[in-house]
């Protein structure tokens, strides 16, 4: 799902493969031997390995992995339209002395994220890889596969405005032209099967994160005879609510759960603040700027921006930060809420700049596969009229405390994101909704703090299969397979095809809820030190600034610069790796901090700072 790509895992493991086994593997796979393609999905011509497998050389490739490319029809319904290349990485099991127990095939989601490099699956799935091979297939249009491009989705300004994002997606569809409908999940599932066939594999253990859950459901429906097990982490069903009402409910639930579990906020009071602030921003939006590197972007804190923070993309930290930001906003201090909204906007804008993510493929899959409240064959005015009519039919209370227009611009897939997409007669669900799916072993995991793919969506996903196991994971956000309990449960399920659905209901810890942001230096807690009150207050300002820098650190490293909470700027120091230059950074209104901080031993920051302003004693 949008903005839900799981962060790269840092665990690594060196994998030893003997030269003899590697040569044997190379010879076998280069020969292209294997069972025939699935009978229910005829392929016009046998998939073809373009050249023998070679050691993978891309950044982050698992040690011992071999890479290859399979040529497949661009359009299986019309082979005369040519072919496209599907790239993959194959990691043989560590124990070559025994037969393989199967092949794990994961997908990290997006859509638009390559399996080859977005998640360290060799590390994450290491407990399975003694007796199982690992196959990382990059969907068509992405990564090691033949990529597609759209100029319209290279402009980061699309991330700062819902109307601009809608327009950019529509323009991308027009750029793709007649090929816009050839990158849907059914085609990708058949591509995965073409790689399976070419490598002579049979028993697949499918592992889907986020959009990968949708893709692996489609594969299981189309090629069930090769499915040994399915793990779906952060999942949603083929037919889901295009207006995201379940996501709104989940976002509000996450806030209540975090408040109750941390005892740091009152969920009912937060809801009152949310209703008050949403109403204010609906009628009086506020414009502000977001600094990134050498560019400054214009942004608007409006009802839709607030909705995007409630949606939170399933990020626990955003949900936890919202209660205090709303408390500040309810008294007229909007700076903390601007910060949270800017983090969401920068994340969306960053997808247009991330070389490892393919935004055109994201648009092509979403606009081809997902439910819509309008028809592509209709002209723009009719589409918009049908969309407004469908929203109105739900009634004014359906999106409370937001308006329908505010919530549906929160940034999730569906709604009107594809309303400018060109007409595509082939668009539609990749498998018939309501069709019974095959009786294969399935484990569905949902984080109870996830508003991106909510618990209800996970239950609906499990209900698509005759005997799926559903497990909710306490205190987990999006793609809970990164949670220790959920990961162990999923690993055990692949090995044994059984799992305890209650195992992770009381595990983990909720994210901490920060206190309200201080407005003046006098409101900051003074540092604990054997010093005068003035020095303790100055050190308290330094500590609060360091905390603000930590929150903006990811933005600085991704974009080169970031705003201070109430003014000033953080920027990457090009002379010292890892160092950050602070220019008149204000976390309170009456004091600023300038200087440079660099990482020291452990989690320390070292450097020289200059403090100024009426709220603090000037000094270094």
């Amino acid at each position: 799902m949008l903005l839900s790509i799981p962060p790269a895992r840092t665990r690594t493991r060196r994998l030893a493969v003997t030269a003899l086994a590697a040569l044997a593997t190379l010879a076998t796979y280069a020969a292209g031997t294997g069972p025939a393609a699935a009978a229910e999905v005829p392929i016009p011509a046998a998939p073809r390995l373009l050249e023998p497998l070679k050691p993978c050389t891309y950044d982050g490739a698992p040690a011992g992995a071999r890479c290859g490319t399979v040529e497949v029809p661009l359009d299986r319904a019309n082979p005369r339209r040519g072919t496209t290349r599907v790239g993959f990485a194959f990691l043989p099991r560590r124990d070559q002395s025994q037969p393989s127990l199967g092949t794990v095939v994961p997908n990290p989601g997006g859509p638009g994220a390559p399996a080859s490099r977005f998640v360290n699956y060799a590390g994450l799935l290491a407990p399975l890889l003694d007796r199982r091979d690992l196959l990382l297939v990059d969907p068509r249009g992405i990564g090691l596969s033949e990529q597609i491009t759209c100029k319209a989705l290279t402009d980061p300004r699309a991330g700062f405005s819902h109307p601009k994002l809608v327009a950019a997606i529509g323009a991308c569809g027009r750029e793709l032209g007649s090929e816009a409908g050839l990158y849907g999940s059914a085609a990708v599932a058949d591509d995965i099967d073409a790689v399976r066939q070419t490598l002579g594999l049979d028993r697949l253990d499918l592992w889907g994160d986020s959009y990968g859950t949708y893709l692996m459901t489609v594969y299981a429906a189309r090629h069930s005879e090769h499915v040994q097990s399915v793990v779906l982490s952060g999942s949603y069903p083929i037919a889901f609510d295009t207006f995201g009402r379940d996501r709104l409910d989940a976002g509000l639930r996450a806030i209540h759960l975090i408040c109750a579990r941390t005892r740091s906020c009152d969920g009912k009071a937060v809801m009152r603040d949310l209703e008050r602030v949403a109403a204010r921003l609906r009628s009086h939006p506020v414009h502000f700027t977001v600094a990134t590197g050498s560019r400054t972007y214009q942004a608007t804190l409006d009802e839709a921006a607030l909705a995007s923070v409630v949606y939170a993309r399933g990020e626990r930290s955003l949900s936890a930060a919202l209660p205090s930001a709303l408390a500040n906003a309810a008294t007229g201090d909007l700076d903390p809420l601007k910060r949270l909204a800017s983090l969401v906007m920068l994340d969306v804008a960053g997808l247009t700049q991330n070389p490892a993510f393919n935004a055109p493929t994201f648009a092509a899959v979403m606009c081809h596969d997902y439910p819509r409240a309008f028809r592509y064959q209709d002209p723009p005015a009719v589409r918009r009229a049908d969309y407004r009519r469908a929203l109105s039919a739900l009634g004014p209370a359906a999106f409370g405390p937001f308006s329908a227009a505010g919530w549906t611009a929160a940034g999730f897939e569906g709604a009107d994101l594809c309303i400018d997409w060109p007409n595509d007669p082939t668009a539609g669900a990749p498998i018939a909704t309501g069709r019974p799916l095959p009786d294969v072993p399935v484990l569905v995991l949902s984080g109870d703090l996830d508003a991106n793919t909510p618990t209800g969506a996970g239950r609906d996903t499990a209900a698509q299969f005759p005997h799926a196991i559903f497990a909710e994971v306490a205190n987990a956000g999006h793609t809970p397979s990164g949670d220790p309990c959920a990961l162990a449960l999923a690993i055990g399920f692949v090995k044994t095809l059984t799992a305890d659905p209650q195992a992770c209901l009381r595990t983990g810890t909720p994210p901490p809820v920060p206190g309200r942001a201080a407005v003046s230096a006098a409101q900051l807690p003074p540092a604990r030190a054997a010093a005068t009150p003035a020095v303790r207050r100055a050190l308290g300002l330094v500590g609060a600034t360091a905390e603000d820098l930590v929150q903006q650190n990811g933005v600085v490293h991704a974009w080169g610069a970031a705003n201070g909470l109430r003014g000033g700027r953080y920027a990457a120091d090009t002379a010292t790796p890892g160092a950050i230059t602070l220019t008149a950074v204000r976390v309170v209104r009456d004091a600023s901090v300038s200087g440079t901080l660099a990482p020291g031993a452990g989690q320390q920051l070292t450097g020289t700072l200059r403090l100024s302003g009426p709220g603090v004693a000037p000094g270094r």
Side-chain angles (χ1 to χ4, degrees):
M1 307 296 277
L2 180 59
L3 300 180
S4 20
I5 302 163
R9 273 70 171 192
T10 56
R11 277 189 299 148
T12 59
R13 179 186 290 258
R14 294 198 59 82
L15 305 173
V17 180
T18 65
L20 180 60
L23 288 173
T25 299
L26 175 60
T28 300
Y29 299 144
T33 58
E40 68 271 24
V41 187
I43 296 177
R48 184 169 65 91
L49 193 66
L50 292 181
E51 59 183 353
L53 301 191
K54 297 178 180 179
C56 297
T57 58
Y58 65 86
D59 290 342
R66 300 244 166 190
C67 283
T69 306
V70 169
E71 187 178 53
V72 299
L74 182 62
D75 182 356
R76 287 179 170 84
N78 184 4
R80 289 177 294 181
R81 299 189 67 175
T83 60
T84 189
R85 299 186 302 275
V86 175
F88 62 90
F90 182 84
L91 181 65
R93 62 196 178 279
R94 289 186 291 265
D95 185 355
Q96 290 286 320
S97 66
Q98 301 185 71
S100 170
L101 295 180
T103 302
V104 185
V105 183
N107 181 275
S116 61
R117 66 193 75 188
F118 231 91
V119 173
N120 175 21
Y121 279 120
L124 186 74
L125 304 175
L128 295 171
L129 302 183
D130 277 334
R131 297 284 307 278
R132 286 173 172 82
D133 307 312
L134 178 66
L135 176 61
L136 306 173
V137 180
D138 285 351
R140 55 173 58 195
I142 301 172
L144 300 176
S145 297
E146 186 174 345
Q147 298 197 29
I148 57 174
T149 61
C150 284
K151 183 178 180 181
L153 283 175
T154 61
D155 187 348
R157 287 177 296 181
F160 294 89
S161 163
H162 182 75
K164 288 180 180 178
L165 181 58
V166 171
I169 289 172
C172 177
R174 292 188 292 275
E175 285 186 59
L176 294 175
S178 62
E179 294 186 1
L182 300 179
Y183 294 86
S185 301
V188 175
D190 292 349
D191 292 344
I192 292 174
D193 199 65
V195 175
R196 176 207 62 76
Q197 178 187 1
T198 303
L199 297 183
L201 308 174
D202 184 23
R203 297 168 298 167
L204 304 186
D205 294 297
L206 307 178
W207 186 291
D209 291 306
S210 192
Y211 162 72
T213 66
Y214 191 93
L215 173 62
M216 294 311 178
T217 297
V218 174
Y219 183 93
R222 296 174 71 86
H223 303 284
S224 60
E225 68 273 25
H226 300 295
V227 175
Q228 185 166 248
S229 71
V230 187
V231 171
L232 305 176
S233 174
S235 61
Y236 57 109
I238 298 300
F240 60 88
D241 181 11
T242 189
F243 298 121
R245 288 169 292 175
D246 57 336
R247 300 180 187 189
L248 174 55
D249 291 343
L252 301 181
R253 179 190 183 221
I255 295 170
H256 279 288
L257 289 176
I258 290 171
C259 285
R261 290 169 181 172
T262 63
R263 300 182 180 179
S264 299
C265 47
D266 179 346
K268 292 182 178 179
V270 175
M271 293 302 111
R272 290 194 294 270
D273 287 341
L274 177 61
E275 184 174 5
R276 186 179 307 121
V277 175
R280 173 186 171 183
L281 294 178
R282 189 179 308 135
S283 57
H284 296 92
V286 177
H287 303 291
F288 66 106
T289 60
V290 179
T292 62
S294 60
R295 296 193 62 175
T296 298
Y297 297 96
Q298 300 303 310
T300 302
L301 180 63
D302 55 10
E303 185 189 16
L306 175 58
S308 74
V309 181
V310 172
Y311 168 47
R313 305 160 292 140
E315 293 292 335
R316 306 184 322 151
S317 59
L318 283 176
S319 298
L322 190 54
S324 58
L326 285 171
N328 278 75
T331 62
D333 176 18
L334 295 174
D335 288 339
L337 194 54
K338 291 177 185 176
R339 161 64 59 78
L340 297 183
S342 71
L343 291 175
V344 175
M345 295 172 184
L346 286 167
D347 205 356
V348 179
L351 295 178
T352 68
Q353 309 297 297
N354 188 342
F357 181 80
N358 190 282
T361 304
F362 162 77
V365 173
M366 172 179 64
C367 295
H368 185 272
D369 289 359
Y370 292 169
R372 299 175 302 280
F374 49 86
R375 302 187 307 168
Y376 284 143
Q377 60 264 43
D378 290 333
V382 175
R383 295 184 188 187
R384 284 171 166 76
D386 286 347
Y387 179 78
R388 290 191 297 268
R389 191 177 302 111
L391 269 183
S392 298
L394 298 176
F399 302 96
F402 298 100
S403 67
W407 176 253
T408 53
F412 51 83
E413 298 96 328
D416 63 345
L417 278 180
C418 294
I419 205 161
D420 290 335
W421 195 255
N423 185 24
D424 176 8
T426 70
I431 54 179
T433 56
R435 163 189 169 184
L437 293 182
D439 192 1
V440 294
V442 177
L443 172 66
V444 178
L445 302 170
S446 292
D448 69 2
L449 301 182
D450 181 13
N452 196 340
T453 52
T455 290
R459 293 188 188 278
D460 289 344
T461 301
Q464 296 174 137
F465 295 91
H467 298 99
I469 299 171
F470 173 78
E472 188 174 47
V473 183
N475 297 305
H478 192 46
T479 57
S481 52
D483 173 270
C485 178
L487 179 60
L489 191 69
I491 293 290
F493 175 78
V494 176
K495 291 181 176 180
T496 66
L497 303 183
T498 61
D500 177 5
Q502 311 294 317
C504 302
L505 284 177
R506 294 175 178 81
T507 59
T509 56
V513 176
R516 286 184 58 176
V519 176
S520 66
Q523 295 174 341
L524 291 170
R528 297 177 180 176
T532 65
V535 171
R536 292 175 62 208
R537 178 177 293 179
L539 291 175
L541 173 62
V542 170
T545 304
E547 290 179 0
D548 189 60
L549 171 57
V550 169
Q551 188 178 61
Q552 290 289 74
N553 192 49
V555 177
V556 173
H557 285 287
W559 293 90
N563 290 342
L565 177 62
R566 302 188 187 277
R569 183 177 175 89
Y570 303 106
D573 188 329
T574 56
T576 306
I580 305 293
T581 297
L582 290 72
T583 304
V585 169
R586 287 185 287 116
V587 296
V588 291
R589 293 175 179 171
D590 58 355
S592 66
V593 178
S594 298
T596 301
L597 288 174
Q603 296 183 334
Q604 291 182 343
L605 295 172
T606 63
T608 301
L609 300 175
R610 296 181 301 280
L611 280 57
S612 60
V616 68
R620 297 180 67 184

